[in-house]
Amino acid sequence: MVRLADDMHTIISDPVCVANGIDTAKGTGYEEHPFFEASSIRRIGDWYYFVYSSLQGHELCYGMARTPEGPFTYQGVIVSNGDLGYQGNELAVNYTGNNHGRLVEIDGEVYIFWYRQTHGTGFSRQGCADRVQIAEDGTIPQIEITSCGLNGGPLPAKNTYLSYIACHLTEKDRSAVGHVVEPALGEMFPKLPADMPYITEEEDTDYEKGFKPYITNLREGAVAGFKYFAFDGDEKEITLELRGTGKVQVLLDSPDGEEVSSMTVGSAGWEERSEKLKQTTGVHSVYIKVIEGTVDFAAITIV
């Protein structure tokens, strides 16, 4: 940090370290999460928050200080785009990539804006936002990534949702769900791992900006999951918009949870497949799991 004069150009102080990067992190609170890039400072209440992207490459971390000069004491992770570290989670629930963002206070509520990757690569990104809770001591517990965004609570189950809001996207071998592919300089379409499902789109004038988003390459064992839906208990049918050849299960609460429906598809084009839905009440996560074949998945409708 340096202090500037009122002209915002002239430096009027010596530089000081306010947060530790890889060269200075050893032996400090930043050792496991060194500062890498994408810093921003916000004052919320009596505290200044230094939000940054760490060398881990998938998380937004933060430090706290009473003044913008710091030094900022490392406090933890606000969000990981693979949910790594949330409640001790060691397996990514999504393919990870670099993560930039910042805290914003709106009408007395505080939100973290961040992003995750699409197209299986590091330079295709989907903006996300979630509300954070600030404890009495000013600290911010790590949030869980969900499909709810700024909805303020679980999504009504009776509705149609495009698949790209899935917050869980994994292949059969969960341990293989790691960092997305980083393209070489000038490389537009790098080769992706054969089993990697990912969000993409295709031209379709019926959709926003002329492109239809969907999840592609869901092979046997792959899972796309949504958190959270609120069920009234009188929902009777689920429809999935699918393409390809295979069989899928609809599961509650985990990728190996209770089956509430299943269906098959065998079509070279998009097809809406509808089946009965087992009676479900309350707030649940919903997972679409491929148990045979390979399919693309565009939308889920519950009625």
Side-chain angles (χ1 to χ4, degrees):
M1 185 280 305
V2 294
R3 186 181 290 273
L4 301 179
D6 290 344
D7 64 7
M8 299 299 288
H9 291 281
T10 306
I11 296 173
I12 59 174
S13 74
D14 292 329
V16 296
C17 179
V18 296
N20 299 95
I22 189 170
D23 294 331
T24 62
K26 189 171 179 60
T28 75
Y30 291 84
E31 185 166 356
E32 298 299 320
H33 307 267
F35 168 79
F36 180 60
E37 62 181 2
S39 60
S40 67
I41 297 177
R42 293 289 184 272
R43 181 177 178 175
I44 301 173
D46 295 329
W47 289 99
Y48 287 88
Y49 293 83
F50 180 90
V51 179
Y52 69 95
S53 180
S54 82
L55 200 64
Q56 299 271 5
H58 58 83
E59 59 190 17
L60 289 177
C61 302
Y62 76 106
M64 293 169 58
R66 291 295 190 182
T67 71
E69 290 92 348
F72 287 82
T73 301
Y74 176 80
Q75 295 292 349
V77 176
I78 300 177
V79 60
S80 158
N81 56 27
D83 242 7
L84 290 166
Y86 177 74
Q87 295 186 347
N89 181 37
E90 295 181 351
L91 284 176
V93 303
N94 209 332
Y95 295 88
T96 60
N98 63 354
N99 195 355
H100 299 158
R102 54 193 45 84
L103 290 171
V104 178
E105 188 173 13
I106 304 171
D107 295 332
E109 300 288 352
V110 180
Y111 301 87
I112 185 72
F113 288 79
W114 56 282
Y115 63 68
R116 57 190 173 195
Q117 280 64 32
T118 64
H119 296 77
T121 75
F123 296 108
S124 299
R125 300 161 178 172
Q126 179 188 74
C128 303
D130 289 276
R131 189 172 67 156
V132 301
Q133 301 292 336
I134 297 183
E136 289 186 7
D137 63 359
T139 57
I140 302 173
Q142 182 174 345
I143 67 163
E144 176 186 30
I145 60 174
T146 73
S147 304
C148 299
L150 303 181
N151 188 59
L155 301 168
K158 283 183 184 174
N159 210 335
T160 296
Y161 298 99
L162 298 181
S163 63
Y164 74 84
I165 70 168
C167 58
H168 179 115
L169 187 58
T170 58
E171 61 188 79
K172 181 177 182 179
D173 180 2
R174 285 288 304 278
S175 66
V177 179
H179 206 72
V180 293
V181 176
E182 296 293 345
L185 184 64
E187 184 181 25
M188 291 294 292
F189 302 104
K191 183 176 176 59
L192 302 180
D195 290 329
M196 174 190 277
Y198 55 94
I199 297 169
T200 186
E201 77 278 311
E202 61 189 29
E203 290 189 19
D204 190 323
T205 56
D206 291 336
Y207 288 80
E208 183 180 8
K209 297 185 179 180
F211 288 91
K212 176 191 182 84
Y214 62 98
I215 298 173
T216 190
N217 200 39
L218 287 160
R219 300 191 179 198
E220 183 260 321
V223 177
F226 305 85
K227 295 180 179 179
Y228 290 92
F229 290 158
F231 291 84
D232 293 335
D234 59 355
E235 295 87 357
K236 294 180 172 57
E237 185 179 83
I238 184 168
T239 300
L240 301 181
E241 187 179 2
L242 302 169
R243 179 174 65 185
T245 301
K247 182 176 181 180
V248 302
Q249 293 175 304
V250 181
L251 308 167
L252 291 187
D253 300 325
S254 85
D256 298 305
E258 177 190 5
E259 182 181 308
V260 291
S261 190
S262 66
M263 59 194 69
T264 58
V265 61
S267 174
W270 290 108
E271 182 179 80
E272 292 187 344
R273 299 291 298 164
S274 301
E275 295 291 345
K276 290 182 179 179
L277 180 70
K278 183 178 179 180
Q279 185 178 26
T280 302
T281 304
V283 175
H284 297 273
S285 51
V286 174
Y287 296 86
I288 309 303
K289 184 175 185 177
V290 177
I291 56 175
E292 292 178 13
T294 302
V295 302
D296 296 337
F297 170 35
I300 177 173
T301 301
I302 298 173
V303 294

